[in-house]
Amino acid sequence: MGEPLLTSLPAAAGPAVVTVAPAWAVAVVAVLGALALAAAAFDGVLSARSASAGGALGAAGRPLGEASRLLRQRRRTTVQADTLLWRTGGAGLFVAAALMLAVVPLGRWTVADLAVGVVWFNAMDVMVWALVWLVGWGANSAHALVGGYRFLAHGLGYELPLMFALVAPAIAAGSLNVGAVAAAQDGLWFAAWMPVAFLVYLLGVAGFSVWGPFAPALGTDVAGGVRAELSGVDRLVLETGRYALLAAGAAFAVPMFLGGGAGPLLPDWAWTLVKTLAVLALLVWVRRRLPALRPDLFMEIGWIVLLPAALVQDLLVAVVTVWRS
């Protein structure tokens, strides 16, 4: 694997973050897969409870059974489908999630200690727009294409509020480096005095994961939305990508709003994982308690309610930061 390289953050940012050798990216993919599986297992348990069927252990193993079924299922084909774009869109979701996770420090260790790590994460979540739309476009199917455009319409409602929600912790830390933002929360997590930004961020994670209120992109009223023509391993890859995006979003919330690896007794890397699992469980649980929203309705909420709220949060954070300095 090679010796880790030590990269020092600016002096005001606190302790250094250790940049490990690029080969450790394999470990990032493994952690992401484990988190996605944990999210799917918890979702299976909640599904069983809502249906009052089966035990918790059997429900937790349901994702593995579903994966086995999809691997055996024959791939559906459509007339004149653009197979390359179709499958690139589905597989690209997991790749985007892995690239998001690359800038998240696991305690003191990170694969990519970018000076603009916050911007990098935001660029990856914007790339999800194109990937989901490609899944709808590549199938050469009206139902799938409608689902793709529905997702773009939802994106217009959540993306700007999400961007400004990420600005708040960056302003407070005086840096776009993820490790610096985590180090700046010494004694007080940003989630405690930036609750609006934290909530808007979580809603944005649900958005780019095609989760909860943003499910109309997969809606049954248009025969499954972007998943309309997916089957077999193609459908499995798309579903894995959705859970992976949810996990990556939960992991990024830890250094941005929850103090990174700070915590008593346990080592910093363990606290990072514990906090990530807690946020991930919250997102999976909330999914079943939020109604799906029409794109036009959510766009109105996003631009009239969420965006002004995020901007006011940024203004308050800027005033407090200037006053403290």
Side-chain angles (χ1 to χ4, degrees):
M1 291 292 185
E3 293 294 327
L5 302 176
L6 185 64
T7 302
S8 297
L9 296 177
V17 171
V18 177
T19 304
V20 298
W24 282 95
V26 177
V28 171
V29 174
V31 170
L32 182 61
L35 290 172
L37 182 59
F42 185 53
D43 194 30
V45 171
L46 294 179
S47 299
R49 288 183 59 186
S50 63
S52 300
L57 186 60
R62 185 175 300 175
L64 295 177
E66 179 67 8
S68 176
R69 182 187 71 83
L70 289 174
L71 286 173
R72 297 193 308 269
Q73 189 180 65
R74 184 176 181 180
R75 277 176 164 169
R76 182 182 296 122
T77 58
T78 55
V79 178
Q80 294 185 335
D82 192 324
T83 306
L84 177 61
L85 294 184
W86 194 12
R87 290 174 180 164
T88 297
L93 296 181
F94 189 89
V95 175
L99 292 174
M100 289 177 180
L101 204 62
V103 298
V104 177
L106 183 61
R108 294 182 300 108
W109 301 302
T110 184
V111 172
D113 185 27
L114 303 182
V116 289
V118 176
V119 178
W120 172 266
F121 177 88
N122 197 217
M124 294 303 103
D125 98 68
V126 172
M127 187 172 70
V128 173
W129 285 31
L131 295 172
V132 175
W133 184 80
L134 283 178
V135 176
W137 172 267
N140 193 31
S141 164
H143 292 148
L145 187 59
V146 168
Y149 277 114
R150 278 187 169 188
F151 181 75
L152 295 183
H154 266 134
L156 293 174
Y158 78 74
E159 187 57 42
L160 271 180
L162 172 61
M163 290 171 62
F164 283 107
L166 291 174
V167 166
I171 291 174
S175 175
L176 291 170
N177 179 278
V178 180
V181 174
Q185 300 173 62
D186 186 22
L188 181 64
W189 293 355
F190 286 162
W193 66 287
M194 305 176 192
V196 174
F198 184 48
L199 292 176
V200 171
Y201 170 78
L202 293 180
L203 190 61
V205 172
F208 65 66
S209 305
V210 203
W211 205 259
F214 309 95
L218 313 172
T220 56
D221 58 325
V222 285
V226 294
R227 295 183 303 190
E229 306 298 342
L230 288 176
S231 62
V233 69
D234 295 328
R235 191 180 184 103
L236 175 61
V237 167
L238 177 73
E239 296 301 329
T240 302
R242 290 177 63 217
Y243 282 110
L245 286 169
L246 200 69
F252 195 71
V254 175
M256 293 300 290
F257 294 99
L258 301 176
L265 302 178
L266 299 177
D268 49 10
W269 62 266
W271 272 116
T272 301
L273 290 176
V274 168
K275 294 175 184 178
T276 297
L277 288 171
V279 176
L280 186 58
L282 175 65
L283 289 170
V284 174
W285 179 79
V286 168
R287 168 209 176 189
R288 300 182 170 278
R289 282 150 182 83
L290 293 177
L293 296 174
R294 297 197 322 266
D296 60 322
L297 177 59
F298 181 75
M299 199 180 303
E300 184 176 348
I301 295 172
W303 284 73
I304 296 178
V305 178
L306 298 180
L307 182 57
L311 288 172
V312 170
Q313 177 77 95
D314 290 346
L315 177 61
L316 292 175
V317 170
V319 170
V320 171
T321 302
V322 171
W323 177 74
R324 290 172 62 181
S325 64

